[in-house]
Amino acid sequence: MIAWTIYLTFGGAVLLLVLPRAFARWIALLATVAGLALGTVAFVSTPIGDLAHFTTIVRVPWVPALGMNYHLALDGVSLTMVLVTGISAVSTVLFSWDVEHRQNEFFFWLLLVVAGCYGVFLSADLFLLFVFYELVIVPKYFLIAIFGSTNKEYGAMKLTLYSFFGGMFVFVGILVAYVAGGSLDLNQLSQFEFSPQLQSWVFPVLFLGFAVLAGIWPLHTWAPTGHAAAPTAGSMLLAGIVMKLGSYAGLRVAMNLFPQGFQMWSKWIAVLAVIGIVYAAAVALRQRDLKFVIGYSSVSHMGFVLLGFATANALGVSGAVLQMFSHGVIAALLFAVAGRMIYRRTHTRELDALSGMNLSHAMPFAAFAFVVAAAASMGIPGFSGFAAEITILIGAWKNYPIAVWIVGAGMVLVAAFTLRAVKLSFFGEKSVQGEVTTVTMLNPEEFNPITIPEKIGACMLMLTTFAVGVYPKLLLDRIMPAIETMRFLK
C-alpha cells in the first residue's frame, strides 16, 4: 500500500496538467493528504519487528539485461522519512492555498518534488534511487526560478549546479558498486564484502556526493541562497524534505554498503559536522534577512545529523534519523511563518524593518507559531529538537567527547540567533514616530489576517514537534531496530 504514495502523488501532478485551474489546489491537497494517510496507516499497522529489515514491498523487472528492477522496500528508517514527507507536503499545500500565479504549474512542480522524495525513501535498487534522486532537481529548479523572489534565477541555478555536482560523485560511486558487487539490489549489496582498498575511496566519493544535498560544510552555500530565493513552498520542501534525501542516501547507501570505508572516514565526518554546526550558527547570528537566518539555521541543524552518523553507534545514528524528522517539521514551520505569514503581509524580511512593526500585536497567531518553532529549534525540552539532539550528543559522547563540548558552545550560538530573530521579528521596539500605529505600517490595503489553511498547516507542524518531543519512543522504537541491523555499527 505504501508504494501508492509515489503513484498517487505523480498521478496528482499529471491531473494538474489537464484539469482546469479551479481544481488545482484541491488536487494537490488530496494527493498530499492521501500520501500522508498511507504513510500513517503503514506506521500504525506495520509490526515493529517487521521494520527491523529493509523488506521488499514491490519488485518488478525493469531492465533485466542490466539487472535493474523496480524494487521498493520499507524499514523503520524509510517509514519515518515517508511520514515526515507526508506531513511537510500537506502543510506546504495549505500554506500555498492562495497562490494565484500559474497555479496549475506551481502545484505540478510541487507534487513532482514530493513524489521524487517518496521514491528515494522507498527505493531498494541503486539505479532507481538515483533516478528519483535526480528527478527532484528539475522541479526544484523551476519552483525557485519561476515562483521565487530574491535573486531567484541565481538561487535556482546555484542549487541545481551543486545538486548535479554531488550527483556526479554519486553516479561514479553507484557504477563502482555495481561493477564490483555485480548487483544493483541494496539488500544484496549490503551482504557483499567489498575490498578494504575499494571502500577506502568509494565511500568518501559516495558520501560526499550525497552530503552536498545535506548541506555539509563547506559545500553548504547553496542552501541559504536557495532558501532565500525560493517561494515559501519551495523553502519548506527544500528544508523539510529535500535536504534529508542526501543524509538518508548517505546512510542507506554509502555507510551501509561500505562499512569499512565509513570507519576510516568517520572522524573526518565528525570534524566537518562540528565545523558546520558552529560556523553556520555564527553566520546566522550576523544575518539581517530572516530567511537567511533560518537558512543558515538549517545548515547548522543538519550538522547534528552528520555528527550522529559519525558516532557509528545505534543511539547516535538513531538520534540522527530522529533529527532528520524533527528538523523537517521545525524548518518547514519556520519558513512558513517567515515567508508566508510575515513576508506576504509586510513585503519585507529585513529584521531592522520588522523590528519597528511590533508584529506580535498585528499577528498574534504568527508570533505564537514562530515562538513554538524557535523553542523547538533551540532544543527546549518538550519538543522534538531536544529529543533528537540529546540522543545524538549522548551517542557522540562515547567516541567524541571533545566534539560534544564544542557543539555545546555552538548550541549557545543557536539560542542567540534564534532569540534575536524572534525579538526583532515580532517583539521589536516601536517606531520613533509614536503616533504611527502598527496597522498603518503594515499597509492596510494589503494586510490580511492569518487564513484558516495557514492556521491548520501551522497547527499540524506544531503538534507534530510537540508529540515527538513528549514521546520520542514512538519513532525511536521503529528507527533503532532498523539501525541495529546495518553493517557499519561498531
Side-chain angles (χ1 to χ4, degrees):
M1 281 293 289
I2 200 167
W4 281 87
T5 54
I6 303 171
Y7 313 146
L8 290 175
T9 313
F10 270 126
V14 172
L15 283 177
L16 285 166
L17 295 178
V18 296
L19 290 182
R21 183 174 180 272
F23 298 104
R25 60 188 182 183
W26 289 104
I27 293 170
L29 182 63
L30 288 173
T32 51
V33 167
L36 175 58
L38 289 171
T40 305
V41 168
F43 186 84
V44 172
S45 62
T46 307
I48 291 176
D50 293 350
L51 294 173
H53 299 278
F54 204 38
T55 307
T56 297
I57 51 177
V58 176
R59 186 186 176 98
V60 179
W62 185 15
V63 187
L66 297 176
M68 295 178 189
N69 296 293
Y70 180 77
H71 185 190
L72 305 179
L74 186 73
D75 68 357
V77 175
S78 56
L79 179 56
T80 300
M81 300 318 300
V82 165
L83 194 62
V84 74
T85 301
I87 294 168
S88 298
V90 173
S91 62
T92 298
V93 172
L94 289 171
F95 275 103
S96 307
W97 198 248
D98 54 358
V99 167
E100 296 295 334
H101 177 57
R102 298 165 74 168
Q103 198 175 75
N104 285 58
E105 187 180 346
F106 176 86
F107 286 114
F108 170 75
W109 296 123
L110 188 151
L111 289 186
L112 280 188
V113 172
V114 175
C117 292
Y118 279 131
V120 170
F121 295 137
L122 293 173
S123 291
D125 181 274
L126 260 183
F127 188 75
L128 182 65
L129 185 147
F130 183 73
V131 168
F132 280 122
Y133 189 84
E134 293 294 296
L135 177 66
V136 173
I137 296 174
V138 177
K140 199 169 55 176
Y141 171 83
F142 285 109
L143 260 183
I144 298 173
I146 297 173
F147 303 97
S149 53
T150 310
N151 293 327
K152 59 185 182 181
E153 291 86 2
Y154 172 73
M157 185 56 69
K158 186 174 183 179
L159 188 155
T160 303
L161 290 177
Y162 268 77
S163 299
F164 277 121
F165 173 74
M168 175 183 68
F169 285 94
V170 169
F171 188 64
V172 170
I174 288 174
L175 281 179
V176 173
Y178 173 58
V179 172
S183 175
L184 289 168
D185 188 286
L186 281 172
N187 284 327
Q188 290 182 23
L189 288 172
S190 66
Q191 305 301 317
F192 186 82
E193 293 292 337
F194 294 94
S195 70
Q197 293 81 5
L198 183 74
Q199 294 195 41
S200 67
W201 69 268
V202 175
F203 170 79
V205 168
L206 254 182
F207 191 85
L208 181 66
F210 287 127
V212 169
L213 199 55
I216 191 171
W217 182 90
L219 300 173
H220 66 284
T221 56
W222 64 267
T225 307
H227 288 314
T232 300
S235 299
M236 292 174 71
L237 289 178
L238 198 55
I241 313 173
V242 174
M243 290 183 79
K244 312 305 177 293
L245 300 183
S247 51
Y248 171 83
L251 170 65
R252 175 73 67 195
V253 180
M255 291 168 60
N256 197 41
L257 300 191
F258 304 102
Q260 290 173 282
F262 168 64
Q263 298 297 343
M264 296 175 195
W265 289 90
S266 59
K267 289 183 176 61
W268 290 106
I269 296 173
V271 169
L272 293 178
V274 171
I275 294 174
I277 293 169
V278 177
Y279 172 82
V283 174
L285 192 58
R286 300 294 301 165
Q287 297 302 308
R288 312 305 303 174
D289 185 310
L290 183 56
K291 260 198 169 184
F292 268 105
V293 173
I294 303 170
Y296 277 104
S297 169
S298 291
V299 175
S300 182
H301 283 91
M302 287 303 292
F304 279 96
V305 175
L306 296 174
L307 180 61
F309 286 169
T311 64
N313 58 59
L315 187 64
V317 179
S318 297
V321 177
L322 187 62
Q323 173 74 345
M324 288 157 64
F325 181 97
S326 169
H327 178 257
V329 173
I330 296 168
L333 181 57
L334 286 169
F335 277 116
V337 176
R340 201 66 190 163
M341 294 183 181
I342 295 177
Y343 182 70
R344 177 173 169 267
R345 291 164 173 84
T346 65
H347 306 288
T348 182
R349 299 192 304 256
E350 290 296 321
L351 291 174
D352 292 334
L354 294 173
S355 65
M357 296 182 183
N358 204 5
L359 292 180
S360 59
H361 290 286
M363 297 188 290
F365 180 85
F368 174 73
F370 199 67
V371 168
V372 169
S377 181
M378 288 188 292
I380 300 296
F383 295 98
S384 59
F386 173 79
E389 289 173 13
I390 196 68
T391 308
I392 292 168
L393 293 177
I394 292 171
W397 183 261
K398 299 176 183 178
N399 300 323
Y400 307 110
I402 296 176
V404 175
W405 284 105
I406 299 172
V407 167
M411 293 175 74
V412 174
L413 291 175
V414 171
F417 75 68
T418 305
L419 291 173
R420 170 177 169 268
V422 171
K423 181 181 185 302
L424 292 179
S425 299
F426 286 98
F427 304 99
E429 299 298 326
K430 280 193 174 183
S431 176
V432 177
Q433 295 88 356
E435 71 279 359
V436 180
T437 64
T438 301
V439 175
T440 303
M441 293 177 189
L442 288 176
N443 191 350
E445 288 81 16
E446 298 183 15
F447 176 73
N448 295 307
I450 306 300
T451 64
I452 297 298
E454 288 172 337
K455 289 182 178 179
I456 295 172
C459 287
M460 270 183 61
L461 297 171
M462 287 190 287
L463 287 172
T464 301
T465 185
F466 180 71
V468 174
V470 171
Y471 195 63
K473 188 174 185 290
L474 191 67
L475 291 177
L476 287 174
D477 278 355
R478 290 160 173 81
I479 295 168
M480 198 166 287
I483 297 297
E484 288 172 345
T485 62
M486 294 187 177
R487 292 201 300 170
F488 58 82
L489 294 182
K490 288 183 178 177

